[in-house]
């Protein structure tokens, strides 16, 4: 059995030979964690015919890439992934296993944790070590209004899934470390179900892509009529309209206008958030913004904790006034 | 077909503004906060009722919750479930997801197993989205998450749509199985007055640890692998400069600044 | 004494609220504009069981009782007060049939009402006045197997959406001079008159109906000949006033919610106006009115379910809740400042709605007349 040094494992989730951005983001954060003396970091890559990808992963600051290849891992199927990872973890006893809170990751991680009889912190937004190697995972609860710090004092490995988009992705650098090939034992019964088809719904083009000015609105606008002030403002500023989840549910905004966890990411030079509370699920989609402006009638709204400028008042009053002022 | 639905009572999201953190005890003060069925669990129950009405059988709901959660299970019975089991024991209190999943799985075994187990994809309070996969793991059943479509038949496998990034998988999966559902699957029915009256005739049973037979070490606060180390309000990232004055004055000031910064 | 609701009542309140919050808001703007009741909601409310809450199960009702009825109307009214206004009159029609109808009449007329296939009407008020029941001019004259009705009824809730009217008409003189009839919209000589344009509760249709030698078969006499006064008064006391109490209570809930929300959100001098004592006073008074209206309303529902008489209590509850709704809505408008009179804010509509509840089911003066009897009895 080859010797594996790494105590921190990041599951490098790949579909069709492409590693998801969420895994690269995790690698960056895990690199920080592994900077403490005595820790080393591995990316765990499962699939078939992935030698090149494994070597590529060596450029992302890992100490090892653990590569397990098997025909039954060619297409991602969670039950097989869980079985393979459980074997690897059972043999090599990592201290920490991290996975992206992706569609597959949130299925894989709890099953793996249950099989390893260990704890899992889900949908984390931050990770830190205490001085004894205990992992603390920061988890938002109740729509992000309260944060919980979760530890896993005795069971090992300590596991966490991390929301995509929380950390900046690792950048490719000089390759170092080594690829270690590990064997896993799988049979067709381990697949659990049969995937008949993958229906791809390509993400609709969105005016948000590359927008330098984003005017985003929330449920607080209250009705479709007031919502229509947003496109006017966006037009006046040469920008695009974004949305939180509720206006999409209400039918005021399109799915491809949603910014955040289950929507798009934007990096505008100017962001104006109107009548939205400013919860983590939305804000995670705003990367490296320039000027952030919040407009909300509630002076306590969380959005103001993330903005440079705040305006308190009804959107239905402020926006028409702002439009007039901009035209003058 | 025997269908089990796992339900969780959660603080009413409409009342989240009333949730307060007691900085001394690090516990959540829930005064004045109502309790509802976790919204996605209602979609799971609706799916179960549709399956039962199409294929025959019965729908059982199980919920691990404090003893006062009876009304929430009554609502599930009123929606149309046939039997409800409230799993309540001091030994369960403080269980994390692994412990919770273990209790639920044990209860389902004690009920003689199930052909279909349905859950909501995640709960709105904890939002861990772990329990369905872990129940499946403890029962040794296949599971799918993010289920947006179920095509079932009395004999043979189901065809299920499971959402993934940028699309969905069409999956053939045979019962017994565990599915956790998303809201796109269906629209939960309303509870009518007739339903409320009917529910009063249906069994609502409370089981303690002895009946659940969850004698394992991961159950309860002390034995759960994860522990809550701290609860805190999210840190303020920035302190926005608040523009003073009437809406008109604020708008004028903002317009001026945007103009000076070259945005228009 | 037990002030707790049962699990059944709590679940009922929750399920009505969920239905109302989902189904009613999308309709309210149109109701406000057109003054029309959205008739497609009737079968939906029939399926929910709202229409048959005080109708026995054998006719398709749920027979959940009077407290349940108040909860249903209150929850509907918290979202959209025009809905329970129409529904409570619908209930009055079912009540009149249940308490006075023959078996054949009940079997014929209750099921469509309970299913929400049509709306019920109780037509008491003549142009000559509503509270002066004895001074009524609409008359009925018996000719062979047919009653011939002549006259006019005005301010009748649900008039233009109903197929089944309970009509009070004069058949003689004195205390026994009134009788009740079940008139179908399509009976010869039954005519709909004008539709009214009210300031509030606009989504509840109100209008006139006229009888021009209207032929009503003898079997459609409701109750005994000469029992019409009793039919009308028991309906108003046991159903109409408790129902209007619940409408007022719904408005009070909405007023309190709007006022509290605005007070928390609106800032003056850099802090929410909820921290200003004058605003707190307004809120406390609205809250007090709402809580007392609740006590009065639930007591009436409970007493009715115990089979007790509620002559005084329902007059008290009705006049208190409706007056409280109007005065609280006005306070909420003051609390809103200029926003309060803008169309975008609900409080102006709530005041208009509240004002319309005041004459319905007997004015405050009539209520005082009823209560004064109980007050004077305190001497002994």
């Amino acid at each position: 059995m080859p010797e594996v040094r790494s105590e921190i494992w990041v599951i490098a989730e790949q579909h069709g030979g492409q590693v998801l951005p969420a895994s690269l983001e995790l690698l960056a954060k895990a690199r920080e964690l592994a900077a403490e003396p005595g820790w080393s970091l591995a990316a765990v890559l499962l699939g078939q015919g992935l030698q090149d990808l494994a070597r590529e992963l060596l450029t992302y600051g890992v100490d090892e890439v653990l590569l397990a290849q098997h025909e039954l891992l060619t297409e991602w199927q969670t039950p097989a992934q869980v079985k393979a990872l459980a074997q690897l973890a059972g043999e090599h006893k990592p201290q920490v296993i991290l996975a992206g809170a992706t569609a597959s990751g949130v299925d894989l991680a709890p099953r793996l944790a249950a099989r390893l009889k260990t704890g899992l912190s889900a949908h984390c937004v931050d990770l830190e070590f205490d001085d004894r190697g205990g992992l603390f995972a920061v988890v938002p609860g109740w729509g992000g209004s309260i944060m919980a710090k979760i530890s896993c004092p005795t069971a090992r490995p300590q596991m966490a899934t991390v929301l995509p988009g929380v950390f900046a992705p690792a950048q490719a650098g000089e390759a170092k470390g080594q690829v270690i090939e590990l064997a896993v034992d799988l049979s067709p019964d381990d697949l659990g179900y049969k995937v008949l088809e993958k229906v791809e719904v390509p993400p609709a083009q969105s005016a948000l892509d590359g927008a330098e000015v984003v005017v985003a609105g929330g449920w607080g606008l209250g009705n479709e009529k007031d919502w229509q002030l947003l496109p006017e403002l966006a037009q006046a500023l040469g920008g695009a309209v974004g949305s939180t989840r509720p206006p999409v549910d209400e039918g005021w905004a399109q799915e491809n206008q949603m910014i955040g966890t289950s929507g798009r990411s934007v990096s505008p030079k100017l962001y104006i958030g109107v009548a939205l509370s400013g919860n983590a699920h939305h804000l995670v989609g705003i990367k490296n913004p320039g000027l952030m402006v919040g407009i909300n009638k509630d002076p306590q709204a969380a959005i103001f904790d993330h903005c440079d400028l705040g305006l308190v008042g009804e959107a239905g009053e402020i926006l028409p006034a702002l439009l007039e002022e901009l035209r003058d | 077909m025997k269908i089990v639905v796992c339900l969780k009572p959660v603080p009413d999201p409409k009342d989240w503004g009333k949730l307060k953190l007691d900085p001394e005890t690090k516990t959540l003060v829930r005064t004045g906060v109502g309790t509802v069925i976790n919204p996605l669990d209602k979609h799971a129950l609706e799916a179960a009722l549709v399956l039962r009405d199409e294929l025959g059988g019965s729908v059982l709901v199980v919920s691990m919750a404090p003893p006062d959660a009876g009304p929430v299970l009554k609502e599930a019975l009123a929606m149309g479930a046939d039997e409800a089991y409230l799993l309540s024991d001091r030994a369960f209190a403080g269980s994390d997801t692994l412990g919770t999943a273990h209790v639920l799985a044990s209860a389902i075994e004690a009920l003689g197993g199930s052909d279909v187990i349905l859950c909501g994809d995640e709960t709105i309070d904890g939002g861990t989205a772990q329990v369905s996969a872990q129940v499946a793991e403890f029962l040794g059943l296949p599971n799918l998450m993010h289920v947006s479509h179920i095509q079932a038949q009395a004999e043979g496998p189901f065809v299920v749509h499971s959402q993934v990034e940028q699309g969905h998988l069409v999956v053939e999966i045979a019962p017994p199985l565990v599915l956790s559902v998303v809201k796109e699957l269906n629209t939960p029915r309303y509870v009518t007055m007739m339903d409320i009256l009917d529910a009063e005739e249906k069994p609502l049973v409370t089981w303690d640890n002895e009946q659940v037979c969850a004698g394992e070490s991961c159950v309860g606060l002390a034995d759960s692998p994860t522990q809550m180390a701290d609860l805190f309000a999210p840190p303020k990232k920035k302190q926005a400069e608040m523009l003073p004055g009437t809406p008109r004055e604020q708008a004028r000031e903002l317009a001026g600044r945007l103009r000076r910064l070259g945005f228009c | 004494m037990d002030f707790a609701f049962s699990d059944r009542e709590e679940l009922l309140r929750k399920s009505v609220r969920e239905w109302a919050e989902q189904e009613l808001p999308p309709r309210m703007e149109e109701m406000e504009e057109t003054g029309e009741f959205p008739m497609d909601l009737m079968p939906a409310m029939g399926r929910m069981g709202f229409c048959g809450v005080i109708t026995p199960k054998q006719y398709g009702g749920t027979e959940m009782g009077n407290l349940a009825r108040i909860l249903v109307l209150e929850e509907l009214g918290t979202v959209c007060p025009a809905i329970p206004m129409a529904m409570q009159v619908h209930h009055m029609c079912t009540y009149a049939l249940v308490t006075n109808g023959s078996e054949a009449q009940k079997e014929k007329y209750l099921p469509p009402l309970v299913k929400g296939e049509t709306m019920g009407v109780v037509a008491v008020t003549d142009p000559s006045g509503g509270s002066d029941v004895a001074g009524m001019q609409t008359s009925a004259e018996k000719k062979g197997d047919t009653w011939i009705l002549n006259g006019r009824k005005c301010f009748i809730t649900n008039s233009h959406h109903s197929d089944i009217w309970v009509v009070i008409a004069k058949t003689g003189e004195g205390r026994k001079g009134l009788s009740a009839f079940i008139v179908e919209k399509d009976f010869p000589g039954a005519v709909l008159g004008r539709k009214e344009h009210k300031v509030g509760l606009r989504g509840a249709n109100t209008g006139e109906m006229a009888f021009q030698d209207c032929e009503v078969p003898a079997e459609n006499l409701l109750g005994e000949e000469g029992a019409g006064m009793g039919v009308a008064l028991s309906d108003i006391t046991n159903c109409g006033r408790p129902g209007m109490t619940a409408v007022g209570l719904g408005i009070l809930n909405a007023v309190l919610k709007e006022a509290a929300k605005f007070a928390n959100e609106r800032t003056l001098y850099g802090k929410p106006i909820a921290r200003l004592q004058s605003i707190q006073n307004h809120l406390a008074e609205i809250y007090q009115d709402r809580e007392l209206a609740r006590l009065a309303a639930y007591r009436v529902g409970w007493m009715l379910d115990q089979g007790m008489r509620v002559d005084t209590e329902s007059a008290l509850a009705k006049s208190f809740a409706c007056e409280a709704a109007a005065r609280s809505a006005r306070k909420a408008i003051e609390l809103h400042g200029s926003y309060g009179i803008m169309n975008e804010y609900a409080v102006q509509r709530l005041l208009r709605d509240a004002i319309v509840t005041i004459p319905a089911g007997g004015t405050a003066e009539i209520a005082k007349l009823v209560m004064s009897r109980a007050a004077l009895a305190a001497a002994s």
Side-chain angles (χ1 to χ4, degrees):
Chain A
M1 195 162 68
E3 194 195 341
V4 170
R5 281 191 307 123
S6 302
E7 298 93 351
I8 303 177
W9 289 12
V10 170
I11 294 166
E13 182 180 340
Q14 63 84 18
H15 298 270
Q18 292 282 318
V19 174
L20 292 190
S23 302
L24 299 181
E25 293 159 14
L26 260 183
L27 281 175
K29 182 64 189 179
R31 184 68 264 166
E32 264 177 45
L33 292 173
E36 303 273 324
W39 292 95
S40 54
L41 168 66
V44 185
L45 185 63
L46 281 70
Q48 181 73 332
L50 297 177
Q51 280 87 352
D52 290 347
L53 186 59
R55 275 191 294 278
E56 193 189 321
L57 280 174
L58 289 175
T59 65
Y60 288 98
V62 299
D63 300 300
E64 295 166 339
V65 172
L66 308 181
L67 174 63
Q69 303 202 86
H70 196 288
E71 198 193 342
L72 294 173
L73 295 171
T74 311
E75 293 291 328
W76 179 288
Q77 224 162 313
T78 304
Q81 299 271 333
V82 170
K83 183 159 186 192
L85 285 165
Q87 285 173 14
L88 299 181
E91 284 162 16
H92 302 286
K93 309 271 185 255
Q95 292 293 303
V96 174
I97 298 180
L98 305 175
T102 59
S104 307
V106 298
D107 188 13
L108 168 119
R111 264 203 103 120
L112 182 59
R115 195 161 304 178
L116 300 175
K117 297 278 185 290
T118 191
L120 168 67
S121 304
H123 298 103
C124 304
V125 293
D126 203 3
L127 297 167
E128 59 193 54
F129 273 135
D130 69 6
D131 48 11
R132 290 189 300 275
L135 184 73
F136 287 101
V138 178
V139 180
W142 294 278
S145 52
I146 290 171
M147 313 293 269
K149 205 180 251 192
I150 311 286
S151 69
C152 184
T154 52
R156 291 293 179 270
Q158 308 170 83
M159 289 185 62
T161 61
V162 176
L163 279 176
V166 173
F167 304 119
Q171 300 297 319
E174 204 175 311
K176 63 183 184 70
Q178 54 171 332
V179 175
I180 301 174
E181 288 234 29
L182 300 170
V184 289
D185 179 24
L186 297 171
S187 81
D189 291 343
D190 297 325
L191 292 178
Y193 47 78
K194 188 163 136 197
V195 177
L196 302 176
E197 191 188 355
K198 181 170 183 190
V199 179
E200 297 243 10
V201 181
Q205 290 292 307
S206 171
L208 289 172
D209 297 336
E212 298 208 331
V213 174
V214 169
V215 179
W219 193 58
L221 277 152
N223 58 62
E224 185 151 22
K225 192 169 122 258
D226 282 351
W227 180 267
Q228 291 308 325
L229 294 166
L230 299 181
E232 276 191 62
L233 180 59
Q235 198 183 10
L237 294 167
V241 177
S243 172
T244 59
R245 161 71 76 181
V248 176
D249 289 343
E250 294 285 340
W252 308 335
Q254 304 296 311
E255 189 85 30
N256 67 5
Q257 290 181 300
M258 194 163 69
I259 296 172
T261 318
S262 43
R264 284 163 191 274
S265 293
V266 293
S267 300
K269 291 190 178 138
L270 168 63
Y271 166 92
I272 304 181
V274 184
L276 51 82
S277 60
N279 73 35
H281 293 288
H282 173 66
L283 294 173
V284 81
I286 307 164
K287 316 276 188 206
N288 308 313
L291 183 70
M292 295 267 292
V293 180
I295 300 175
N296 199 299
K297 62 181 172 181
D298 176 8
Q300 308 300 323
I303 186 70
F304 293 127
D305 302 337
H306 302 269
C307 283
D308 304 291
L309 291 177
L311 287 75
V312 176
E314 289 287 342
E317 285 185 58
I318 291 181
L319 293 188
L322 182 58
L323 281 163
E324 278 179 36
E325 296 291 338
L326 288 171
R327 279 187 204 114
D328 289 346
Chain B
M1 183 148 302
K2 188 166 164 191
I3 307 162
V4 170
V5 181
C6 303
L7 285 189
K8 185 181 182 188
V10 295
D12 190 337
K14 290 204 187 81
D15 294 337
W16 280 359
K18 297 181 196 159
L19 284 170
K20 289 206 174 60
L21 192 63
D22 183 332
E24 299 276 306
T25 60
K26 292 285 180 194
T27 51
L28 218 47
V29 182
R30 290 170 64 154
T31 313
V33 178
T35 301
V36 297
I37 297 178
N38 178 52
L40 282 178
D41 298 357
K42 271 195 170 181
H43 292 267
L45 178 53
E46 176 66 30
L49 300 173
V50 169
L51 281 180
R52 178 198 61 191
D53 294 344
E54 277 175 8
L55 305 174
S58 58
V59 173
L60 283 56
V61 296
V62 296
S63 182
M64 189 187 96
D68 61 5
V72 168
L73 287 183
K74 234 217 186 117
E75 188 180 350
L77 291 171
M79 265 184 78
D82 299 290
E83 298 170 30
Y85 294 84
L86 173 59
L87 318 176
S88 205
D89 194 301
R90 281 198 169 174
F92 303 158
S95 291
D96 68 358
T97 53
L98 193 74
T100 305
H102 180 71
V103 169
L104 290 170
S106 304
I108 292 168
E109 276 185 337
L111 287 167
S114 175
D115 300 305
V116 179
I117 297 163
L118 288 159
C119 309
D121 216 33
E122 63 182 342
T123 56
I124 42 167
D125 56 346
T128 59
Q130 299 180 14
V131 166
S132 68
Q134 297 194 327
V135 166
E137 176 65 23
F138 283 123
L139 293 173
L141 301 179
N143 78 297
L144 284 169
M145 291 184 70
H146 325 310
V147 169
S148 58
H149 174 81
I150 301 171
Q151 187 189 324
Q153 45 188 357
E155 301 291 327
F158 291 8
V159 174
V160 167
H161 292 184
S162 167
Q163 293 180 343
V164 292
E165 283 85 4
Q166 293 168 22
H168 63 262
L169 303 174
V170 182
V171 179
E172 191 179 272
I173 182 168
L177 51 75
V178 181
L179 303 176
S180 71
V181 310
V182 292
K183 70 176 174 38
E184 287 78 8
L185 177 65
N186 56 33
T187 306
R189 63 196 63 189
Y190 291 120
V191 168
T192 72
M193 295 174 87
M194 292 67 92
D195 295 332
I196 292 171
L197 295 176
D198 287 348
E200 289 171 4
E201 311 297 317
K202 294 176 182 177
L204 168 49
V205 183
T206 303
W207 274 5
D208 61 13
N209 196 15
E210 206 169 302
Q211 283 140 319
V212 173
C213 322
E216 208 177 298
S217 60
C218 61
V219 170
L221 178 61
D223 293 323
S224 283
T226 61
Q227 303 284 324
M228 181 93 73
D230 197 6
L231 269 182
F232 58 99
K236 293 196 172 194
K237 296 264 165 51
K238 280 183 190 171
Q239 187 60 56
E241 178 192 346
M242 305 305 284
L243 301 182
T246 63
R248 168 65 66 175
E249 287 158 3
Q250 295 182 56
R252 185 170 303 145
E253 176 64 23
L254 177 60
R257 293 203 192 195
L258 293 179
R259 197 165 285 130
R260 286 195 290 281
L261 290 165
F263 285 112
C264 57
Chain C
M1 188 167 262
D2 184 359
F3 283 93
F5 284 111
S6 65
D7 282 355
R8 178 200 280 192
E9 288 147 359
E10 294 285 4
L11 181 52
L12 174 64
R13 185 190 285 283
K14 191 157 178 275
S15 67
V16 179
R17 182 177 299 175
E18 278 184 15
W19 184 88
E21 287 178 349
Q22 188 71 32
E23 300 293 329
L24 300 182
R27 315 302 294 271
M28 288 169 64
E29 201 176 316
E30 195 190 344
M31 289 166 69
E32 207 53 30
E33 270 171 24
T34 63
E36 293 289 336
F37 184 89
M39 269 309 282
D40 61 296
L41 287 180
M42 275 309 279
M45 289 197 281
R47 284 192 296 276
M48 288 299 290
F50 303 162
C51 298
V53 59
I54 49 170
T55 301
K57 287 181 183 162
Q58 66 197 99
Y59 309 109
T62 57
E63 214 176 351
M64 253 200 209
N66 292 279
L67 184 53
R69 172 175 182 248
I70 284 174
L71 291 180
V72 169
L73 296 172
E74 177 191 354
E75 288 300 326
L76 294 173
T78 304
V79 180
C80 176
I83 299 286
M85 177 70 225
M87 181 56 71
Q88 89 92 3
V89 172
H90 184 77
H91 289 156
M92 286 178 73
C93 184
T94 65
Y95 179 89
L97 291 166
V98 169
T99 46
N100 305 287
S102 68
E103 199 49 42
Q105 288 170 339
K106 291 191 229 183
E107 274 171 18
K108 179 168 181 194
Y109 291 111
L110 282 171
L113 288 168
V114 164
K115 285 184 203 146
E117 288 168 0
T118 184
M119 293 182 93
V121 152
V122 175
V124 180
T125 303
D126 264 27
S128 61
S131 300
D132 177 17
V133 178
M136 181 175 295
Q137 287 176 358
T138 301
S139 66
E141 206 179 330
K142 195 161 185 192
K143 286 201 176 148
D145 271 351
T146 308
W147 288 92
I148 306 296
L149 268 64
N150 276 293
R152 223 151 42 95
K153 294 287 177 188
C154 57
F155 310 126
I156 304 303
T157 305
N158 301 342
S159 56
H160 285 61
H161 292 305
S162 172
D163 298 342
I164 300 168
W165 311 343
V166 169
V167 178
I168 309 293
K170 199 163 172 170
T171 48
E173 295 301 326
R175 222 164 47 84
K176 296 259 181 195
L178 299 178
S179 300
F181 299 90
I182 308 167
V183 180
E184 294 182 27
K185 182 187 74 175
D186 297 328
F187 282 173
V191 188
L192 286 172
R194 53 180 277 166
K195 282 186 189 178
E196 304 293 350
H197 293 280
K198 303 194 299 300
V199 293
L201 296 176
R202 289 188 46 76
N205 156 264
T206 306
E208 281 190 3
M209 43 196 33
F211 307 93
Q212 298 164 353
D213 292 326
C214 173
E215 296 169 27
V216 178
E219 73 252 29
N220 275 33
L221 177 70
L222 181 62
E224 305 275 311
E225 184 180 341
M229 176 83 93
V231 171
L233 290 184
S234 78
D235 208 354
I236 290 167
T237 300
N238 298 326
C239 199
R241 286 182 186 141
M244 288 314 300
T245 308
V247 177
L249 183 49
I251 296 173
L252 279 161
N253 287 340
V255 164
L256 179 58
K257 196 168 161 185
E258 293 295 329
K261 202 167 74 171
F262 188 83
N264 279 322
E265 286 170 357
R266 174 72 175 159
T267 53
L268 269 185
Y269 321 116
K271 59 186 181 185
I273 60 170
R275 300 216 202 130
L276 301 173
Q277 196 174 22
S278 59
I279 298 295
Q280 291 168 356
N281 284 346
H282 274 321
L283 284 167
E285 286 165 14
I286 296 170
Y287 178 75
Q288 173 176 303
D289 268 345
R290 197 278 300 264
E291 290 298 299
L292 292 174
R294 281 195 151 169
L295 289 174
Y298 300 156
R299 179 173 71 154
V300 170
W302 177 84
M303 287 176 75
L304 285 164
D305 287 341
Q306 308 306 309
M308 297 160 79
R309 287 189 69 109
V310 296
D311 307 49
T312 315
E313 290 78 5
S314 77
L316 182 157
K318 191 269 156 183
S319 66
F320 180 81
C322 296
E323 295 283 350
R327 106 181 133 240
S328 293
R330 212 197 122 177
K331 280 176 194 151
I333 287 179
E334 280 169 26
L335 181 149
H336 273 65
S338 297
Y339 292 103
I341 51 169
M342 300 296 163
N343 252 332
E344 288 79 357
Y345 287 81
V347 281
Q348 49 78 26
R349 174 180 53 74
L350 292 167
L351 177 61
R352 291 187 286 107
D353 288 348
I355 291 208
V356 176
T357 65
I358 288 176
T363 59
E365 287 69 29
I366 292 290
K368 280 178 189 152
L369 187 69
V370 176
M371 283 188 280
S372 68
R373 290 182 204 132
L376 283 168
S380 53

